Amino acid sequence: MPRLIAPDVSYHASWLEGSAEFDGAHRDGAGAEDWPLEELKDDQSFLRFVDALVNDARPESPRKPGYVPCTYLWIVDGDTFLGSLAIRHELNDFLLNQGGHIGYSVRPSARRRGHAAAALTNALPIARELGIARILLTCDEDNAGSRATIEKNGGIYEDSRNSKRRYWIGPA
């Protein structure tokens, strides 16, 4: 049964396999933008990466300008890494218009099995525990799978901006 966990170095090999499936494409919710995949093959680099992901949830952690505190979670089934999910603790202008509170990606070989919908369902209570009562989610206009995932979880469409559909979950 797939579940959400904090990033964990024990998933190193499976994380590398799953990340390689994206073939360089952006992995929303992964937090790996500044970490070359080749570098993360090294055990010590991967440990630093996992530590950085876990520490990013702390407001006092250093981060790049324009970035907000974020709780990173991994979608796993047994010892297999299936994908990533990020809960951004607050919205800046970019996140309000395009990124939203929660971003996620599922490795290509594990798609179309309900993993994203289940992960989002499990992430909503965590977001609420972080004090996010009204949760913004976005997806590309042409991403029917993500659209269905958001709507299955109660997302109410508000509008589209910059080719992104914007949905809210929670009290108005």
Side-chain angles (χ1 to χ4, degrees):
M1 170 68 65
R3 59 194 174 99
L4 290 176
I5 65 163
D8 185 326
V9 294
S10 68
Y11 287 85
H12 189 186
S14 186
W15 186 93
L16 288 170
E17 291 169 5
S19 295
E21 289 182 18
F22 285 90
D23 196 27
H26 176 73
R27 294 169 284 157
D28 197 21
E33 299 85 28
D34 297 330
W35 297 85
L37 191 56
E38 191 62 34
E39 181 181 327
L40 291 173
K41 291 178 181 178
D42 174 74
D43 289 342
Q44 289 305 309
S45 293
F46 192 74
L47 174 62
R48 286 191 303 275
F49 168 65
V50 167
D51 285 345
L53 292 180
V54 171
N55 289 330
D56 202 47
R58 297 189 340 236
E60 69 275 8
S61 291
R63 59 187 47 83
K64 295 191 312 190
Y67 280 65
V68 301
C70 182
T71 297
Y72 289 100
L73 300 166
W74 288 352
I75 308 162
V76 300
D77 188 3
D79 60 358
T80 302
F81 170 84
L82 300 175
S84 302
L85 184 139
I87 303 171
R88 298 156 192 126
H89 299 190
E90 58 196 58
L91 297 175
N92 58 24
D93 286 340
F94 172 77
L95 295 173
L96 178 64
N97 289 296
Q98 294 187 49
H101 283 106
I102 299 176
Y104 50 84
S105 57
V106 173
R107 68 192 281 179
S109 65
R111 291 181 183 159
R112 301 187 191 285
R113 297 186 206 158
H115 298 314
L120 180 56
T121 298
N122 292 329
L124 294 174
I126 298 168
R128 290 187 182 101
E129 287 173 13
L130 291 167
I132 308 167
R134 191 165 184 238
I135 302 164
L136 176 65
L137 290 113
T138 68
C139 67
D140 291 338
E141 286 282 358
D142 62 354
N143 189 337
S146 192
R147 180 179 175 175
T149 292
I150 294 168
E151 291 173 354
K152 180 185 263 189
N153 275 281
I156 305 298
Y157 175 75
E158 180 177 71
D159 63 12
S160 291
R161 301 178 188 178
N162 304 311
S163 300
K164 297 282 188 181
R165 296 179 64 85
R166 298 173 67 251
Y167 294 84
W168 291 94
I169 297 175

